[in-house]
Amino acid sequence: MRPRAPRPDSLQTVTVLEILEALDARHGEAGVPFKTLEAAAGSRLPFQALKDALNALVAANAVVRVSEKPARLRITAAGRAQLDGYR
């Protein structure tokens, strides 16, 4: 068995950005709850890949944490630009 990659690939980050963009319209300024994001990504990404991609996106300022408890996330302008670059 191969060890897990230390950082997510671009497909994982694009998937997370697409899901956040789709859910952002419904949740607005309050941010997308992590549990909703996890449920939406469940069929596309395993939990560890979702977590790694989110941590990388937060570090790159493409996603911000609106609140810690409960965890809520929002896509930023930089994240939208990154997503548009992939498209």
Side-chain angles (χ1 to χ4, degrees), residues 3 6 8 13 15 17 39 42-44 54 56-57 63 65 70 75 77 85-86:
T13 57
T15 301
L17 287 173
S43 64
R44 294 191 204 175
L54 273 176
L57 289 167
V63 173
R65 290 183 176 106
I75 188 170
Y86 287 124

Side-chain angles (χ1 to χ4, degrees), residues 56-72:
L57 289 167
V58 168
N61 292 322
V63 173
V64 293
R65 290 183 176 106
V66 176
S67 67
E68 291 294 325
K69 296 205 182 217
R72 290 184 168 265

Side-chain angles (χ1 to χ4, degrees), residues 1-2 10 14 26 33 35 49 59 61 70 73 83-84 86-87:
M1 184 161 87
R2 260 183 358 184
S10 61
V14 169
R26 188 176 345 155
K35 290 293 183 184
N61 292 322
L73 305 150
L83 185 57
D84 289 339
Y86 287 124
R87 290 182 179 158

